[in-house]
Amino acid sequence: MSGSKPDILWSPHHVDRYVICDSELSLYRIESVGNSEAKAGALRLSEETTATLLAINSDTPYMKCVAWYPKHEPECLLAVGQANGRIVLTSLGQSHNSKCKDLMGKEFVPKHARQCNTLAWNPVDSNWLAAGLDKHRADFSVLIWDISSKFTPEASVTTDKIRLSAGDTDAGLVVTKPLYELGQNDACLSLCWLPRDQKLLLAGMHRNLAIFDLRNTSQKMFVNTKAIQGVTVDPHFHDRVASFFEGQVAIWDLRKFEKPVLTLTEQPKPLTKVAWCPTRTGLLATLTRDSNIIRLYDMQHTPTPIGDETEPTIIERNVQPCENHIASFAWHPSSQNRMVVVTPNRSMTDFTVFERISLAWSSTGSIMWACGRHLYECTEERNASSVEKDISTKMRQRAQSRYGHDTEQVWRNYLLAGGDEPQLKSLWYTLYFMKQYTEDLEQKPLVNKLPLVYSGIKNIVKSSSGTVESWCCWNGSDRQADVIRYHSDERCLALQLCGWIKRGPEIDVEPFLQSLEVEREWERAAAVALFNLDIRRAIQVLNKGASAEKGDLNLNVVAMALSGYTDEKNSLWREMCSSLRLQLNNPHLCVMFAFLTSEPGSYDGVLYESSMAVRDRVAFACMFLSDSQLPRYIEKLASEMKEAGNLEGILLTGLTKDGVDLMESYVDRTGDVQTASFCMLKGSPGEVVKDSRVQCWIENYRNLLDAWRFWHKRAEFDIHRSKLDPSSKPLAQVFVSCNFCGKSISYSCSAMPHQGRGFSQYGVSGSPTKSKVTSCPGCRKPLPRCALCLMNMGTPVSSCPGAGKSDEKVDLSKDKKLAQLNNWFTWCHNCRHGGHTGHMLSWFRDHTECPVSACTCKCMQLDTTGNLVPLDSV
């Protein structure tokens, strides 16, 4: 340390005390704000802590270095190295310990005066104090003093030379004979004792790092280097030492002391201090001159191959504890990643270095992160009914219920998804109606209309022709209604896709009404009946709903209001219904009165009721809008659905490019790639499936199933995909090839009879299905042998010697028919040894090492997925 800049030193036995030393020694106690609010003169170090000055010692001028006594008693004993090489023992505060009183003021004086650069107490034998001095041609630079040695005055040493300060010259004790003298005709700039042995001392000499063994002082181990300053031992790894020179830090391994194992990035300014974190493994802090930045080096331990001399991974990081330049810093001895920094004007800051958070997000929805020594986990509450489940949780549950795989009754996929989302219900019913109409067209010669089924109602109404207008009467009455209805084949097809009518030439909504009554959707059924001009049926439905169990008695009032309908323009009934209909809570009841009070051709109150299902609004528009109004309304509604990502809009867009755009908005909003993948595969034209967005959703869903370890489900999805999209079936990418000619032998090694040679030539008797092909069909060279049975590959497992012996733990041939998997080739990609799959599986159930003699490869441990099991079951 320099006399002009303060240094900081934590107490080795009090975690709340530290010393600031420059021209004087100042002892501070650090405590939380709540404990020191009432104390005057407390210095604020941070938002949570303050420092209180306990004692000041100004009796030791010309300080160059300070070392705190490592033992608990005496607790406040410090050794101070001075500019003339003398070492003075002093204390902070009054100590009642007799040993401390005997040691107070004791001085250790070298033969020749020169600056004392560093001090180090022996952590085991605490009476030993090592001092590093500047060079003198006739003296040693490393002196080890025993503070318990007796007073040894010499006649040649006068009192004036012993003391640099006046007063009490006769009270001091002077020791002039050190216990050990090392490093002759050299300079020592830094010192530290090695924790692995109390007799080993590491010293940064003028041109080298030297390890002195006090058991044999005539010999030393050294390495030439310029990095001789600030030597410090890693408290968590006693063979690792750090030192520095100018702006570069060297990391040494004492077991391999020939050269540094690591040299850290050189900094532009000279370093002033390096220190290992006492609470965090492998964390080194460095400080440069005139800087307010402390650079941290996090040394990660990563396994490396034997004999590989690659450097360990280093993560560099800068922290800024305060705005002003930092004179020195010190790690807190017990609080994790905490330090106190001091500036040249003695202002102090308590600072905690926050760890980088390593985050791991499980595919099942839980999050785990590591911060320092703590590991945190956050999982979704299983019984949290008030909070909506995450989409990944929903997709996982749907995958387990085989959601999307029902290709016959397509609408049942809505029930497999939980049956509680209206958009999914609309989507799967739309796909179901599309599939129904496709099957109907396949029985007819109208193949040219097949694309219309999946192109959506928007394209269907554009192709509408031959529309017939008709003034209709109320059902069951001769009185003509003041409305015009429109009929065409395309509008009829649109009504079928909306689910209002069944297949056939007649428009009959009665089956649809009955299904709504079964589902207890009384208001919707009444609205559909009214839109089909059957007011009596609507009243009947409302009365039935009011009388049903847990029915709404207000439906009787609505039915009564409907029964008073009149088509007179200025009637009181029309006036009251127009003003009071908006007060109805149910949207279907509201649109019923909107329809009855609307002018012919102007049905905005029905068409733009956003709370009503899209399919009902579209069906209504197909019945009551003209050829000029209908396409404009469908186009506008489709744009709204596409922008909102509403799956009900698939009815309008179909499985076309517009449908992909709508599904993209839906995926962006919800992340539901599962529904998007299955939807686009359901009878979709090839051009849509080839869209890059659709392929991205499919691949993401496949990867998601793999991440969940739903490997069987992913295989089922691939099969389902290949049936709907034959172009997606992958070609064979892996085959077993001959070592000599490189040709594939996979086909020839199957259980099919070999062409061209009799089975007797291969030594196989019995059934021809158990043939063995032990040579390459291309070059006739022999195939490799199995490491366990020593038979050539291609030989069926059941014909191998010893396959049925009693000492086998697993009988590979217990099945009556030959298991094809057991005959497959399998080998380790590291050592290239292998054999029959059945034999390898049997071996690695009880072993991890390769079965080949003299091979030490841990084949099973190299397989990261070898011990994983699928979470789904087929």
Side-chain angles (χ1 to χ4, degrees), residues 233-302:
V233 181
D234 187 345
H236 298 281
F237 184 23
H238 295 164
D239 286 318
R240 183 162 57 189
V241 176
S243 63
F244 68 90
F245 171 74
E246 294 295 335
Q248 198 167 59
V249 179
I251 307 297
W252 306 83
D253 190 335
L254 299 181
R255 300 166 300 181
K256 193 177 181 180
F257 202 45
E258 295 84 10
K259 61 179 180 178
V261 295
L262 187 65
T263 301
L264 303 183
T265 307
E266 187 170 1
Q267 302 188 37
K269 293 183 180 180
L271 291 162
T272 59
K273 187 170 185 177
V274 297
W276 295 100
C277 179
T279 59
R280 171 75 154 75
T281 304
L283 185 61
L284 182 69
T286 64
L287 175 66
T288 58
R289 184 184 302 167
D290 300 330
S291 173
N292 61 349
I293 299 295
I294 293 178
R295 177 167 292 188
L296 304 177
Y297 297 91
D298 191 359
M299 302 182 187
Q300 307 291 321
H301 291 277
T302 55

Side-chain angles (χ1 to χ4, degrees), residues 814-825:
K814 62 183 178 182
D815 294 332
K816 293 183 179 180
K817 61 180 181 179
L818 182 65
Q820 296 299 319
L821 175 64
N822 291 339
N823 295 332
W824 286 7
F825 290 40

